[in-house]
Amino acid sequence: MGIRKAKRADIDQLEAIENKVFVYDRLSRRSLRDYIASPRVEMLVATQGRELAGYSLVAFRKDSVFARLYSLAIAPEWNGKGLGRALLEASEKAARRRGATAMRLEVRAENQPAIALYIKAGFECFDRIDDYYEDGATALRFEKSLRIRR
Ligand SMILES: CC(C)(COP(=O)(O)OP(=O)(O)OC[C@H]1O[C@@H](n2cnc3c(N)ncnc32)[C@H](O)[C@@H]1OP(=O)(O)O)[C@@H](O)C(=O)NCCC(=O)NCCS
């Protein structure tokens, strides 16, 4: 397994993953292309040979200490092999490198696998937003400090 920055040539595979993994709130091909090119976004992919197994997307805002984990997805055939955890760790590292001191994210309240991953990685729930998603589902908001503890 490898982790590297996403590039334009990845778009077909990224779109395929997006369609396999998400039913609602999918990123369009155009959004994927824009994110790959954006200086305010860090998009990483997990590779298995020439195949893409998943991706993560972290967004940064000028003058904000918060990095926002905007998306994380592993193709179903690669689930349960530690790739989600590895991409999350690499995303945190990238956020630290860019000077963020904390990471935030929203996740569907019923998404047990993702919530378990975030809690295991040290994220804490600090808020909930009803009717957050396209289909009216509730979001839980999680945060993790990226400061290195001594
Ligand atoms: C959530 C997701 C990214 C996890 O990726 P993954 O590569 O399958 O997960 P990993 O193998 O790295 O597992 C890491 C930890 O996550 C948790 N986890 C993963 N799958 C789980 C499941 N089906 N049930 C419960 N916990 C699960 C566990 O705590 C696991 O640690 P453990 O193996 O020590 O028990 C993946 O299931 C996914 O893409 N889901 C659909 C998209 C999504 O929900 N994205 C996140 C919201 S934006």
Side-chain angles (χ1 to χ4, degrees), residues 33-86:
R33 197 178 53 214
D34 289 349
Y35 283 132
I36 290 171
S38 171
R40 290 182 301 279
V41 164
E42 190 89 32
M43 193 163 183
L44 301 176
V45 294
T47 58
Q48 293 280 352
R50 296 180 65 153
E51 195 181 331
L52 290 200
Y55 78 90
S56 66
L57 206 166
V58 185
F60 302 89
R61 278 207 319 248
K62 228 176 126 200
D63 304 326
S64 173
V65 298
F66 294 108
R68 177 162 176 239
L69 184 71
Y70 187 64
S71 190
L72 172 67
I74 302 296
E77 60 270 32
W78 294 105
N79 276 164
K81 298 182 191 304
L83 299 185
R85 188 191 344 254

Side-chain angles (χ1 to χ4, degrees), residues 21-22 55 69-76 78-87 105-108 111-118 120 133:
V21 170
F22 295 110
Y55 78 90
L69 184 71
Y70 187 64
S71 190
L72 172 67
I74 302 296
W78 294 105
N79 276 164
K81 298 182 191 304
L83 299 185
R85 188 191 344 254
L87 264 180
L105 62 89
E106 290 84 35
V107 59
R108 285 175 173 266
N111 189 346
Q112 278 313 318
I115 290 169
L117 166 65
Y118 297 138
K120 214 166 200 178
Y133 293 99

